[in-house]
Amino acid sequence: MKCYNAAKKIVQTLHNAGFTAYFNGGWVRDHLLGKDADDIDIATTATPEDMIDLFEKTIPVGINFSILIVVQDEVHCEVATFRKESDYVDGRRPEKVSHTTPEEDAKRRDFTINGMFFDPLTDTIYDYVGGQQDLKKGVIKAIGNPHQRFNEDRLRMIRACRYSARFSFPIEKETKAAIIAHAGELFPAVAIERVYDEFRKMTKDPHLFDALLLLHQFTLLDVIFKDLPLISYNKLEEKLKTPLHFPENTSPIVYLYELLEEISLSDKIALCKHFKVSKSEIRFTEELDKWKHSLDFSDYELVQLYAHENSDKCLKITSIHVKDSSFDRFHAEKKKLLKEHIRRLIEKRPLICSKDLLDRGMKAGRELGNTLKEAEKLAINKNLSTKQEVFQALSNSKDNK
Ligand code: ATP
Ligand code: MG
């Protein structure tokens, strides 16, 4: 309600200054479906310059594209001038935008259900594109000529699948035919980051797998994963009969691995680079990969896994893959057994530290580093708990060499 009230205040301020302003896009759609979201976007006849004058706090997010964030009562609201986009070149986003009427602004939007406006001051819906009717019918329909709309921005083909899955609305016949006709033309028009962003949104939705199946059906997955070993539609369908319950905030890239036949870690890293994912997502991939072999790990190696910040997430995901309760039991027991060592590692408290070795006359350098590592390995693998025990174990292991 806080967002709604703040957004309404923004509309009121614009209205008092003589401008037209409405809520638009996803919020209106969700409102008509009885689900008021917290993310409210506003469209107005005011220009960004007008808004900078009118509101105390604004943040520009693309002045060329006429979008501003207005901060009202600590709520951030995106406010854009009604616009018409022109000069689409090769299915990319337009270079040029020009200000226009609400009706024209509605027509540049992707699907009819996304093209409506709502005036919170009078509780009126403005629908220039038949959005209400399609929402009632339950269809995803491109605004205007679908071929032309997908030619303008080919990402819309992926978005159609995402919305279709999310609302369980079929894609309208002509729109579907246009996706089939243009699926092969997704690249190079669309930047891979935008595709990944759509995947990111899909993974936040419980209907992710329906969206993936649709993308497969329309051959969009073949296009996106080009030379990679994509699993067949039937295999994907079979696999997704028991939806994956990956932990919250699992990186989308981890879901995408599910779409491929077993691939090596280096192929996964290549895929990460292809999708230009963040470094932390790459590191997560590397960490997750280790867990596949974790049943063969020494206690020392296990402690490294358990002390890692993503340990619980990796354990859960791997357990879903392994589908064997003995895997969970093994790790639960080991974690209990190695509790103290895990805590020491997290708190960076090795049983033997550099000072202990320097005090014993060892010189700083590589040998000291190796001895520290060896000491920690012995401490964990032999489950030792005092410095003395570790020094004893170190000298025994030297004697045995
Ligand atoms: P979501 O809940 O998934 O965010 P949304 O409808 O809010 O859904 P956004 O991607 O946030 O979707 O976009 C906001 C609105 O902007 C859409 O409802 C649509 O009207 C318009 N829009 C977004 N992307 C495009 C696009 N590629 N082509 C045309 N219109 C678009
Ligand atoms: Mg949105």
Side-chain angles (χ1 to χ4, degrees), residues 225-238:
F225 290 96
K226 222 171 81 195
D227 299 324
L228 290 159
L230 183 69
I231 61 175
S232 67
Y233 182 88
N234 288 347
K235 243 186 181 175
L236 183 62
E237 203 179 25
E238 198 51 46

Side-chain angles (χ1 to χ4, degrees), residues 144-383:
N145 179 326
H147 291 275
Q148 188 190 331
R149 302 315 309 284
F150 293 143
N151 268 334
E152 284 169 3
D153 181 0
R154 292 175 185 142
L155 188 77
R156 289 172 187 157
M157 298 188 282
I158 298 179
R159 289 172 61 84
C161 298
R162 178 161 72 81
Y163 289 116
S164 169
R166 172 156 156 204
F167 300 116
S168 302
F169 287 177
I171 301 174
E172 177 269 341
K173 211 168 114 225
E174 301 278 312
T175 306
K176 194 167 165 174
I179 298 180
I180 293 167
H182 297 281
E185 301 158 11
L186 187 68
F187 299 121
V190 171
I192 196 74
E193 292 94 327
R194 292 182 75 209
V195 174
Y196 192 64
D197 211 44
E198 286 297 317
F199 278 125
R200 186 184 302 286
K201 289 185 177 175
M202 283 175 208
T203 60
K204 299 254 178 286
D205 193 285
H207 304 95
L208 162 72
F209 300 120
D210 299 313
L212 295 177
L213 284 168
L214 275 175
L215 291 173
H216 206 316
Q217 193 183 325
F218 292 131
T219 70
L220 283 161
L221 287 187
D222 296 274
V223 176
I224 296 167
F225 290 96
K226 222 171 81 195
D227 299 324
L228 290 159
L230 183 69
I231 61 175
S232 67
Y233 182 88
N234 288 347
K235 243 186 181 175
L236 183 62
E237 203 179 25
E238 198 51 46
K239 192 170 189 169
L240 303 183
K241 273 190 183 144
T242 41
L244 295 168
H245 293 293
F246 288 163
E248 226 182 302
N249 292 325
T250 296
S251 157
I253 197 77
V254 176
Y255 288 92
L256 298 188
Y257 300 145
E258 296 298 318
L259 302 175
L260 301 168
E261 299 286 359
E262 185 71 24
I263 54 169
S264 66
L265 176 60
S266 62
D267 284 343
K268 285 182 182 167
I269 305 291
L271 189 69
C272 285
K273 293 194 172 143
H274 172 65
F275 279 106
K276 300 190 179 164
V277 308
S278 67
K279 288 209 173 82
S280 76
E281 286 172 288
I282 296 182
R283 281 197 298 272
F284 183 79
T285 294
E286 288 165 339
E287 192 60 26
L288 180 63
D289 195 72
K290 292 182 194 160
W291 281 79
K292 278 199 305 211
H293 316 287
S294 58
L295 294 183
D296 301 323
F297 276 15
S298 68
D299 285 354
Y300 173 74
E301 289 167 312
L302 285 173
V303 168
Q304 315 301 308
L305 282 191
Y306 298 146
H308 196 277
E309 58 175 339
N310 287 319
S311 165
D312 288 344
K313 244 189 197 176
C314 291
L315 173 61
K316 194 153 179 208
I317 296 169
T318 314
S319 156
I320 291 169
H321 286 143
V322 172
K323 292 193 194 95
D324 181 352
S325 57
S326 66
F327 180 86
D328 289 354
R329 262 199 319 276
F330 170 85
H331 282 293
E333 280 163 20
K334 280 288 185 187
K335 267 171 117 170
K336 210 163 144 194
L337 194 79
L338 298 168
K339 203 168 78 189
E340 275 312 309
H341 298 294
I342 300 166
R343 189 178 302 159
R344 282 196 305 97
L345 185 61
I346 291 172
E347 292 170 3
K348 298 196 173 65
R349 285 188 294 106
L351 276 177
I352 304 273
C353 59
S354 322
K355 188 173 176 303
D356 297 316
L357 297 181
L358 292 169
D359 286 350
R360 293 186 158 219
M362 197 178 264
K363 296 231 159 38
R366 182 186 280 182
E367 198 196 336
L368 186 137
N370 287 343
T371 311
L372 283 175
K373 195 168 173 193
E374 176 68 11
E376 231 353 59
K377 265 190 189 165
L378 287 167
I380 297 170
N381 287 339
K382 293 185 181 295
N383 200 13

Side-chain angles (χ1 to χ4, degrees), residues 24-30 37 39 41 78 83 85 88 93 105-117 143 149 152-157 159 162-163 166-167 194 197-198 201-202 205:
N24 67 71
W27 187 89
V28 185
R29 174 198 67 217
D30 293 346
D39 183 17
D41 297 333
E78 214 174 272
R83 64 190 195 268
E85 293 168 347
Y88 281 93
R93 280 192 289 190
D105 181 290
K107 287 184 185 152
R108 59 123 191 132
R109 292 172 186 270
D110 46 8
F111 305 107
T112 55
I113 61 165
N114 285 349
M116 294 174 277
F117 299 107
I143 295 172
R149 302 315 309 284
E152 284 169 3
D153 181 0
R154 292 175 185 142
L155 188 77
R156 289 172 187 157
M157 298 188 282
R159 289 172 61 84
R162 178 161 72 81
Y163 289 116
R166 172 156 156 204
F167 300 116
R194 292 182 75 209
D197 211 44
E198 286 297 317
K201 289 185 177 175
M202 283 175 208
D205 193 285

